[in-house]
Amino acid sequence: MAEAAQQMETVADMLSLRVLARLLDYPTEELQAAAPEMIEILNAERRLSAARRTALMDWCQRLLEADIMELQAEYVALFDRGRNTSLLLFEHVHGESRDRGQAMVDLMAEYRAAGFELDAHELPDYLPLFLEYLSTRSEAEIGRWLGEIRHILALLTARLEEREADYALVPLALLALIGADDDVAAHRQTAKEEAPDYTAEALDEVWEEEAVRFTADSDQDCALQSAEGRRLAERKKTVPSDPVRILPGSAASSAADRGPTDR
């Protein structure tokens, strides 16, 4: 019983991770409608500094007031054109190699061992999905996992900052949770000097270099080849995404009542 109570407290205390996950998701009208709830959670949980919370809450307000078509166009331009700002974690480490397939198998095993079941819409290394998983874990596990991917988060932050995208606030906040936000400085020059990989010319080069293989060595290779196509196809469907369920009961108000101090 004590163990179950401790797990419930952990989940309630880390709702801000779910907010960060939602902020990296493809924008929908449901996400816009949830913006006031997300602002409430960020304001109630004092795990981030006041300045970082304010920046994230201001972004939530901008999402609420923005034109949904413009938000979606910006998202696709940032995350579905080129690989430098991909939200697929292992793409930054393994590219499209077979090693990435094994890494995803291992991560899936981690999810299943924890009772975290996935649907077929996203690959297991999709960052928003990974953050959903972390929101169910203990603080020690959250710190360990964020530490494992801190180099990816730092480079992603620098690249998104270079493109002046609000989305940079999310990986920067994740780094701040483990006291590693200074890591970004080491990557800013790299991000500044990189050739853009999202232009029409750059994308054409990628298509020429990676012609579709009709004799893939394994089902894993096929899945990796079609990862981006699967995500884009999902977004074209008229079926709405799962409702944004962030705040169970009065967890945010309870967090506010506890009144923890800023880190």
Side-chain angles (χ1 to χ4, degrees):
M1 179 69 73
E3 200 171 280
Q6 183 179 12
Q7 178 67 9
M8 287 176 64
E9 183 179 353
T10 299
V11 172
D13 281 351
M14 293 304 285
L15 288 171
S16 51
L17 275 179
R18 299 187 190 181
V19 172
L20 295 176
R22 295 287 68 77
L23 286 173
L24 283 183
D25 253 342
Y26 183 70
T28 61
E29 291 178 353
E30 290 81 7
L31 178 67
Q32 286 184 307
E37 185 182 2
M38 295 193 291
I39 291 172
E40 181 182 357
I41 292 170
L42 290 168
N43 191 45
E45 289 190 11
R46 305 303 177 95
R47 295 180 176 276
L48 296 167
S49 69
R52 292 206 191 286
R53 291 200 314 274
T54 297
L56 287 164
M57 290 188 291
D58 287 348
W59 180 24
C60 289
Q61 188 63 36
R62 290 195 294 275
L63 288 174
L64 178 63
E65 297 169 355
D67 177 81
I68 188 63
M69 298 297 288
E70 291 181 3
L71 290 175
Q72 291 172 347
E74 177 191 10
Y75 188 93
V76 169
L78 277 172
F79 298 118
D80 290 333
R81 295 174 63 86
R83 292 177 177 170
N84 285 351
T85 54
S86 173
L87 294 179
L88 297 171
L89 293 170
F90 295 147
E91 195 164 285
H92 294 282
V93 180
H94 303 298
E96 297 292 348
S97 73
R98 297 180 66 183
D99 289 340
R100 181 178 167 211
Q102 185 57 53
M104 289 198 292
V105 168
D106 294 342
L107 185 56
M108 280 289 293
E110 192 87 28
Y111 288 163
R112 286 171 180 153
F116 187 75
E117 292 297 327
L118 309 186
D119 60 24
H121 292 174
E122 290 295 353
L123 295 172
D125 62 336
Y126 181 54
L127 182 53
L129 179 65
F130 182 66
L131 295 180
E132 285 278 0
Y133 168 70
L134 289 190
S135 74
T136 70
R137 314 314 301 157
S138 69
E139 289 196 32
E141 284 187 83
I142 292 168
R144 176 175 66 84
W145 276 111
L146 290 180
E148 288 284 335
I149 64 169
R150 61 189 287 181
H151 62 294
I152 299 174
L153 295 174
L155 183 55
L156 181 60
T157 300
R159 286 169 169 169
L160 290 171
E161 285 180 347
E162 184 65 21
R163 296 179 67 174
E164 300 181 347
D166 282 334
Y167 289 95
L169 294 171
V170 174
L172 187 59
L174 295 171
L175 290 168
L177 285 174
I178 57 172
D181 36 335
D182 288 342
D183 287 10
V184 181
H187 297 279
R188 288 194 173 109
Q189 191 61 34
T190 297
K192 184 180 291 293
E193 294 174 354
E194 281 178 330
D197 70 341
Y198 52 85
T199 63
E201 294 79 7
L203 292 171
D204 284 344
E205 287 182 15
V206 170
W207 279 108
E208 289 172 8
E209 291 171 4
E210 299 183 5
V212 176
R213 298 192 302 267
F214 293 98
T215 56
D217 293 335
S218 70
D219 290 342
Q220 284 180 355
D221 287 343
C222 291
L224 290 176
Q225 289 177 45
S226 60
E228 182 174 352
R230 284 173 51 192
R231 285 182 286 140
L232 289 172
E234 282 296 328
R235 290 176 191 144
K236 291 178 182 177
K237 291 182 179 178
T238 56
V239 179
S241 59
D242 291 338
V244 179
R245 295 186 298 272
I246 300 171
L247 187 60
S250 57
S253 58
S254 299
D257 291 340
R258 288 196 296 273
T261 56
D262 290 352
R263 287 189 173 186

